[in-house]
Amino acid sequence: MSDSTLSQAPAGASTLRHDIPAGLVVFLVALPLCLGIAQASGLPPFVGLLTGVIGGLVVTAFSPSRFAVSGPAAGLVTIVTAAMETLGSFPALLFALILAGMLQVMLGIARAGRFITLIPGTVIQGMLVAIGLLLIVQQIPVAMGLPEGQGLGALLSGTAAFSAPALIIALVALLIMWLWTTAPFRRIGLLTYIPGPLVAVLWGSLAVVFGERLLPEGAMPRISLPAFNSLSELTAQLERPDWQAWKNPAVYMVAVTLALVASLETLLSQEALKKLKEQVPAPSPDKEMRAQGIGNALSGFLGGLPITAVIVRSSVNVNTGARSKVSILLHGVLLLLCGLFFSDMLNTIPLAALAAVLLYTGYKLASPALWLMQWKQGWPQFLPFVTTVAGIMLFGMLAGIGLGLLAQLLCSTYKSHVNALQLSSYDDHYVVRIHQNLTFLHNPRLHSILAEIPDNSVVMVDSENAHYIDPDVKALLNEFREKAPTRGIKLDRWPA
């Protein structure tokens, strides 16, 4: 049976033997990321689990994709932290998230998903690299065990000291994740089913559990999940949106930013997933945006984080043999059970280990190889890439993407402008080739080309590819035609 046939088949006994192991592996990958993303956002880890459950169960139920895994994304951490600082509270952010979800639903209804192809690859890559760099800068103090709210500046000024145990845990965790990508480890079949980030988190937990004599209680910052003995205790932990936030104009800008970036990351993940696993028929980007919008509106109402489709978890789902949505639903159920019944076990995880997971994620997003690849493509590609990275880091996500789009537009316009006209010569015969429609902006280029033609030449203009020539351009050509006899220039073919 082909992959395309399997992608259409409903879940059954034949697919469960693939979906159950895949769902378990996706759960193991998602668990440390859900906890780490919430912690990096300055929120309780339970918020990350709640978001993972909504993404795994609710979004999956409405999504047209059988393989896309949704949940909290590391790429939105910086937006969430900046938004909370701008709006002043997490409940205000929740209101913005509800608006963002509603906007995503409306974009899906308006069939705006097709416009994803308008975003240049350089701008997309720049956005991912900037997110990676911001993630690294944000998580280094956590990995070093600095007090909450203290950054590298406090360390350099001597007002804060790093924690050696936390730093050791983070460094060993990074080493474990790197080793998991090396060839010797990849040859061990069993290890391919155990995610490196999970092993890194387990290492941190074991280091804390068995090192309590060396690490006094409270010396090592850890995950802090509440224990739920009743439904009322569970609901008491849920934050509620601040419905009065509608009076704050900034909440609408945050909502637009969340909707656009979350939709962009979701649709990009969907495009990347097509290369890993064919689905017939292909999932509709508009239906996917509506599903994500429903999930984000519900996440905002219940007190969760923004949700997107995440390519890392989706690719793990495909690579471990998933055949239907059952694997994603199973991962959501396991996240729910873990948060409800295994909080004591999760509370042994040190924040330094989660910081290492996010540092490793940030490095993969902003690796030197990506910079080199963009550089090799030439400055028309590298300049918009760098502009996007710098713009996001200095001015924020939407402004950075806007600057990147402007830089790409200018570079593309310049290259198109330069290549619109070409002069070639054969002895004393000269051909002015017009490759596209011309506007008044091409006058300087045309003027310089005509100035290169010497006296006593034969000149022709090839304008078959131009369906429109601006009157100002025609005026310049007519001026050259009128002066041609005085210079001994013979015109063989000339546009009217």
Side-chain angles (χ1 to χ4, degrees):
M1 186 180 290
S2 66
D3 282 349
S4 60
T5 304
L6 283 171
S7 67
Q8 300 178 73
S14 61
T15 62
L16 286 178
R17 65 188 182 91
H18 299 284
D19 290 327
I20 291 176
L24 179 60
V25 174
V26 173
F27 158 71
L28 295 177
V29 171
L31 177 61
L33 290 174
C34 288
L35 296 174
I37 290 168
Q39 194 68 44
S41 302
L43 298 169
F46 174 72
V47 174
L49 287 178
L50 172 64
T51 310
V53 171
I54 296 172
L57 299 180
V58 179
V59 175
T60 302
F62 291 95
S63 172
S65 175
R66 291 179 173 85
F67 308 114
V69 182
S70 297
L76 293 177
V77 168
T78 54
I79 298 178
V80 169
T81 53
M84 285 195 294
E85 184 176 345
T86 300
L87 300 178
S89 69
F90 181 51
L93 173 66
L94 294 178
F95 180 76
L97 183 55
I98 293 174
L99 295 180
M102 295 170 60
L103 180 57
Q104 283 183 294
V105 172
M106 289 188 288
L107 288 173
I109 294 173
R111 302 180 64 186
R114 61 188 183 274
F115 294 115
I116 184 63
T117 55
L118 293 177
I119 306 296
T122 52
V123 174
I124 294 169
Q125 195 62 65
M127 180 188 75
L128 295 175
V129 167
I131 288 170
L133 292 175
L134 289 170
L135 207 54
I136 290 171
V137 171
Q138 191 179 58
Q139 292 304 303
I140 286 178
V142 182
M144 300 181 71
L146 295 179
E148 186 175 354
Q150 298 290 332
L152 292 177
L155 181 66
L156 295 175
S157 64
T159 57
F162 71 89
S163 167
L167 184 58
I168 292 172
I169 285 177
L171 290 176
V172 174
L174 287 171
L175 178 63
I176 289 171
M177 287 183 285
W178 172 76
L179 286 173
W180 238 249
T181 64
T182 59
F185 276 71
R186 286 181 175 178
R187 294 193 193 103
I188 304 174
L190 179 62
L191 295 184
T192 59
Y193 294 98
I194 305 175
L198 179 68
V199 179
V201 169
L202 288 176
W203 141 253
S205 294
L206 292 174
V208 168
V209 170
F210 292 103
E212 285 184 342
R213 294 180 181 178
L214 298 176
L215 303 175
E217 188 71 25
M220 176 70 69
R222 308 175 193 178
I223 287 291
S224 178
L225 280 174
F228 303 116
N229 298 318
S230 65
L231 182 61
S232 59
E233 289 185 3
L234 172 61
T235 55
Q237 291 294 323
L238 301 177
E239 289 274 5
R240 290 287 181 246
D242 179 8
W243 301 107
Q244 298 301 314
W246 68 270
K247 300 176 183 178
N248 184 357
V251 79
Y252 301 101
M253 180 58 70
V254 170
V256 171
T257 302
L258 287 172
L260 292 182
V261 176
S263 298
L264 182 62
E265 187 163 341
T266 290
L267 296 179
L268 290 176
S269 298
Q270 192 179 70
E271 289 297 311
L273 193 57
K274 288 180 182 178
K275 300 177 182 178
L276 298 176
K277 186 79 169 181
E278 181 185 3
Q279 295 185 66
V280 181
S284 164
D286 301 313
K287 290 182 179 178
E288 184 65 40
M289 276 210 292
R290 293 201 293 269
Q292 297 290 330
I294 292 170
N296 274 316
L298 181 60
S299 185
F301 182 76
L302 294 180
L305 287 164
I307 294 172
T308 71
V310 187
I311 187 57
V312 174
R313 282 163 249 177
S314 302
S315 61
V316 168
N317 189 38
V318 168
N319 292 333
T320 49
R323 294 291 187 270
S324 72
K325 288 184 177 182
V326 170
S327 62
I328 313 173
L329 294 169
L330 176 60
H331 119 276
V333 171
L334 291 174
L335 286 175
L336 177 62
L337 295 176
C338 200
L340 292 177
F341 303 111
F342 299 99
S343 58
D344 289 341
M345 181 182 67
L346 296 180
N347 286 340
T348 63
I349 299 175
L351 300 186
L354 293 179
V357 172
L358 293 171
L359 283 172
Y360 189 70
T361 302
Y363 173 78
K364 288 193 294 183
L365 288 173
S367 69
L370 294 174
W371 290 80
L372 185 60
M373 180 181 69
Q374 294 294 327
W375 173 258
K376 288 182 177 179
Q377 292 180 4
W379 69 264
Q381 299 295 312
F382 188 71
L383 182 60
F385 166 76
V386 172
T387 302
T388 304
V389 174
I392 290 175
M393 297 195 70
L394 294 175
F395 306 112
M397 187 64 66
L398 272 189
I401 292 175
L403 289 173
L405 287 172
L406 178 61
Q408 182 66 71
L409 180 63
L410 292 175
C411 288
S412 298
T413 302
Y414 174 77
K415 293 295 290 185
S416 175
H417 181 83
V418 169
N419 294 320
L421 295 162
Q422 181 184 11
L423 179 65
S424 56
S425 62
Y426 308 90
D427 295 330
D428 62 342
H429 287 64
Y430 288 81
V431 179
V432 179
R433 288 189 169 84
I434 301 176
H435 297 295
Q436 64 184 53
N437 297 339
L438 300 183
T439 69
F440 69 94
L441 295 174
H442 293 96
N443 267 3
R445 172 68 175 162
L446 178 60
H447 189 276
S448 64
I449 284 177
L450 296 177
E452 295 179 26
I453 300 174
D455 296 344
N456 305 312
S457 303
V458 178
V459 183
M460 66 174 291
V461 173
D462 178 7
S463 59
E464 292 182 358
N465 294 323
H467 301 289
Y468 171 78
I469 298 180
D470 191 270
D472 286 337
V473 177
K474 288 183 178 180
L476 186 58
L477 291 171
N478 290 335
E479 181 183 346
F480 184 87
R481 180 175 58 186
E482 293 171 359
K483 295 181 179 179
T486 63
R487 297 176 55 190
I489 294 177
K490 180 181 178 181
L491 304 180
D492 185 18
R493 188 168 66 185
W494 208 256

